[in-house]
């Protein structure tokens, strides 16, 4: 099913889950309605320059502060969304602390990190103790700092609630210009609904990728002399992100999929022995049959990667069904439309993004929703040298990370 973005107005917030009602004394926060065009202007396709600040007043009181009772609410998250959306259009990146002070960031990421570090590497979601006849699970692929598209996705799918679970499949930062806003918003949802919102780790939630593809520079630009501190806190939080999930015992999700081989870390090798590899043969192990799974949802590959994968489908709709066998199927899911935001060539992929909804009773029949990009994006400079940097898959080739015995 293909959808077009609708105006992000106050009614979108009013219509969210009744399980998280807005307090009676709260005022719904409107966002500036975006255009629904699916392409960027010629000037936005090139190396964009920051837009000049306008006289539009902020929709909420700034700077944002941590709740006095130290408990996040839906209203607080709504204010966060509205403030980030407004600041992306009206303030320069260096003015970000006037929206979210370092002290508030510190409290949020510390609270979220404590939750994340306690979670297992493989999450089990929707077991019998929490499943209900009206529960649904929304699975989201790569976002890559495209904050405005994330806002639309949350509006379109419906906010997390007691009966609406979210599994985000990694790659929240890098390449796009609002990785910090994206990651902070998802952490806020995690703190607010820790047993309904689940954040998995992608390859870009790492020191290497974030130093190459823009997130480190983005953080340093937005927080100035406090940027190194904020960046270190983000890296520490990345380390606590789980790697995979199993939904209702039927669906396996992970950012990239299963490793072709696993290197034994040097700290765990016997003294004097060379690095060894543990070879995983998916066909021999039969992962779907062995664990009674019916569906694998992975992400990681956008339209730029798929054009380099002969024999596999493209990503123009935000997803591909890559393998269908008697025991089940594998889907690649990508949630960053019109990707990448910055591109060295004149060609644009103009791909749609997508998310998947899983419904009872078995949660293994994917309902796929494609959507177009929110445009025009606010104009901003790239935080990495997108003209020279090569594909992250090529940089992170497994062959360069292991040695033969």
């Amino acid at each position: 099913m293909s959808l077009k973005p609708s105006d992000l107005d106050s009614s979108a917030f009013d219509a969210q889950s009744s399980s998280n009602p807005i307090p009676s004394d709260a005022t719904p926060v409107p966002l500036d309605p975006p255009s629904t065009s699916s392409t960027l202007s010629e000037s936005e396709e090139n190396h964009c320059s920051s837009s000049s600040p306008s006289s539009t007043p902020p929709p909420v009181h700034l700077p944002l502060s941590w709740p006095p009772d130290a408990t996040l609410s839906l209203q607080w998250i709504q204010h966060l969304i509205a403030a980030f959306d407004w600041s992306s259009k009206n303030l320069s990146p260096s003015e970000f602390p006037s929206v979210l002070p370092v002290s508030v960031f510190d409290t949020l990421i510390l609270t979220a990190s404590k939750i994340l570090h306690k979670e297992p590497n493989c999450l089990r979601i929707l077991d019998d103790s929490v499943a209900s006849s009206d529960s649904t699970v929304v699975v989201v692929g790569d976002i890559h700092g495209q904050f405005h598209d994330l806002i639309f996705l949350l509006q379109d799918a419906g906010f997390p609630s007691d009966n609406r679970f979210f599994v985000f499949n990694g790659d929240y930062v890098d390449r796009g210009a609002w990785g910090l806003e994206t990651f902070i918003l998802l952490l806020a949802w995690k703190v607010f609904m820790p047993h309904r919102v689940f954040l998995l780790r992608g390859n870009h939630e790492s020191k290497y990728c974030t130093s190459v593809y823009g997130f480190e520079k983005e953080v340093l630009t937005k927080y100035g002399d406090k940027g190194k501190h904020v960046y270190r806190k983000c890296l520490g939080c990345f380390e606590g992100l789980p790697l995979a999930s199993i939904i209702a015992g039927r669906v396996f999700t992970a950012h990239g999929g299963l490793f072709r081989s696993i290197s034994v870390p040097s700290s765990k090798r016997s003294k004097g022995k060379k690095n060894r590899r543990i070879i995983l043969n998916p066909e021999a192990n039969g992962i779907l049959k062995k664990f009674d799974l019916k569906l694998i949802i992975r992400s990681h590959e956008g339209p730029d990667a798929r054009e380099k994968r002969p024999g596999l489908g493209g990503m123009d709709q935000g997803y591909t069904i890559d393998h269908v066998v008697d025991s089940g199927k594998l889907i690649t899911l990508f949630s960053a439309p019109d990707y990448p935001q910055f591109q060295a060539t004149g060609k644009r992929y103009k791909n749609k993004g997508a998310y998947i909804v899983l419904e009872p009773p078995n949660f293994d029949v994917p309902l796929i929703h494609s959507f177009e990009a929110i445009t025009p994006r606010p104009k901003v400079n790239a935080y990495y040298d997108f003209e020279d940097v090569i594909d992250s898959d090529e940089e992170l080739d497994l062959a360069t990370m292991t040695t033969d015995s």
Side-chain angles (χ1 to χ4, degrees):
M1 184 167 93
S2 181
L3 304 171
K4 282 196 174 183
S6 58
D7 289 351
L8 297 177
D9 56 20
S10 58
S11 62
F13 293 119
D14 293 337
Q16 297 305 328
S17 168
S18 59
S19 301
N20 292 320
I22 300 174
S24 58
D25 60 346
T27 302
V29 181
L31 296 179
D32 295 335
S35 160
T36 58
S37 170
S38 61
T39 60
L40 294 177
S41 67
E42 182 178 354
S43 63
E44 288 170 314
E45 289 182 353
N46 298 324
H47 191 156
C48 302
S49 60
S50 298
S51 56
S52 58
S54 73
S55 58
T56 306
V60 295
H61 179 72
L62 297 179
L64 295 169
S65 59
W66 192 251
D69 62 356
T71 301
L72 293 193
S73 65
L74 179 59
Q75 183 187 28
W76 193 90
I77 293 179
Q78 289 176 265
H79 287 180
L80 184 76
I81 293 172
F84 283 177
D85 182 66
W86 176 84
S87 66
S88 72
K89 300 168 183 175
N90 294 279
L91 299 181
S92 66
S94 62
E95 295 176 276
F96 191 75
S98 69
V99 179
L100 191 78
V102 173
S103 60
V104 179
F105 167 84
D106 281 348
T107 304
L108 173 61
I109 201 163
L110 175 61
T111 306
S113 294
K114 287 181 178 178
I115 296 170
L116 291 166
H117 279 76
K118 291 179 181 178
E119 292 183 329
N121 266 333
C122 184
L123 300 165
R124 291 193 172 270
I125 301 168
L126 265 179
D127 57 26
D128 293 338
S129 63
V130 295
S132 64
S133 59
D134 61 347
S135 293
T136 59
V137 181
V138 179
V139 183
V140 181
D142 298 42
I143 302 170
H144 279 300
Q146 296 186 193
F147 176 74
H148 307 86
D149 298 311
L150 172 61
I151 296 175
F152 171 75
L153 187 157
L154 288 167
Q155 174 203 344
D156 191 64
F159 282 178
S161 66
D162 283 344
N163 61 358
R164 186 180 296 115
F165 296 68
F166 270 78
V167 177
F168 292 90
N169 229 6
D171 277 13
Y172 315 115
V173 303
D174 281 340
R175 296 194 183 274
W178 301 281
L180 187 60
E181 288 90 333
T182 296
F183 190 50
I184 289 172
L185 174 58
L186 294 179
L187 291 181
W189 276 114
K190 182 63 181 178
V191 171
F192 178 44
M193 305 200 77
H195 303 296
R196 296 297 183 271
V197 175
F198 301 94
L199 310 179
L200 304 187
R201 188 174 186 176
N203 63 300
H204 279 264
E205 280 70 59
S206 65
K207 189 177 191 305
Y208 171 76
C209 279
T210 54
S211 67
V212 173
Y213 298 99
F215 183 65
E216 180 181 16
K217 185 176 179 181
E218 176 190 345
V219 173
L220 297 180
T221 300
K222 290 179 177 176
Y223 273 113
D225 58 354
K226 297 290 185 180
K228 289 184 178 179
H229 163 82
V230 171
Y231 179 60
R232 285 195 298 267
K233 292 291 186 182
C234 289
L235 293 180
C237 189
F238 291 163
E239 293 176 357
L241 294 171
L243 302 179
S245 77
I246 296 177
I247 301 167
R250 308 281 282 181
V251 181
F252 176 85
T253 82
H255 175 69
L258 296 177
F259 294 101
R260 292 185 180 92
S261 62
I262 301 175
S263 293
V264 178
S266 57
S267 60
K268 296 183 179 179
R269 280 184 249 146
S270 299
K271 187 176 181 180
K273 289 189 176 181
K274 294 182 179 180
N275 193 9
R276 295 172 298 169
R277 287 188 295 173
I278 302 172
I279 304 300
L280 295 179
N281 185 329
E283 184 177 354
N285 287 324
I287 180 171
L288 288 172
K289 291 181 179 179
K290 182 176 180 179
F291 296 100
D292 195 27
L293 299 168
K294 294 298 180 183
L295 175 64
I296 295 175
I297 302 174
R298 47 91 65 176
S299 301
H300 185 59
E301 291 182 340
D304 55 336
R306 273 306 168 97
E307 71 175 6
K308 303 171 186 176
R309 305 287 192 271
L312 292 178
M315 199 57 66
D316 58 308
Q317 296 299 310
Y319 73 95
T320 59
I321 300 175
D322 295 322
H323 301 287
V324 179
V325 295
D326 291 341
S327 53
K329 65 179 64 174
L330 180 146
I331 295 177
T332 297
L333 177 67
F334 197 77
S335 301
D338 200 18
Y339 170 88
Q341 178 184 356
F342 304 102
Q343 194 159 296
T345 65
K347 173 187 174 183
R348 295 202 67 84
Y349 292 100
K350 300 180 182 178
N351 63 292
K352 294 180 180 179
Y355 63 89
I356 288 176
V357 178
L358 304 174
E359 297 181 336
N362 294 325
F363 298 93
D364 56 7
V365 178
L367 303 177
I368 305 174
H369 298 254
S370 293
F371 61 95
E372 295 180 351
I374 290 289
T375 56
R377 294 180 178 122
K379 295 182 180 180
V380 68
N381 291 314
Y383 293 104
Y384 70 108
D385 188 353
F386 61 93
E387 294 184 349
D388 293 334
V389 73
I390 67 173
D391 183 83
S392 57
D393 283 338
E394 296 175 17
E395 296 251 10
L396 294 176
D397 189 341
L398 283 172
T400 67
M401 301 171 70
T402 61
T403 58
D404 293 323
S405 57

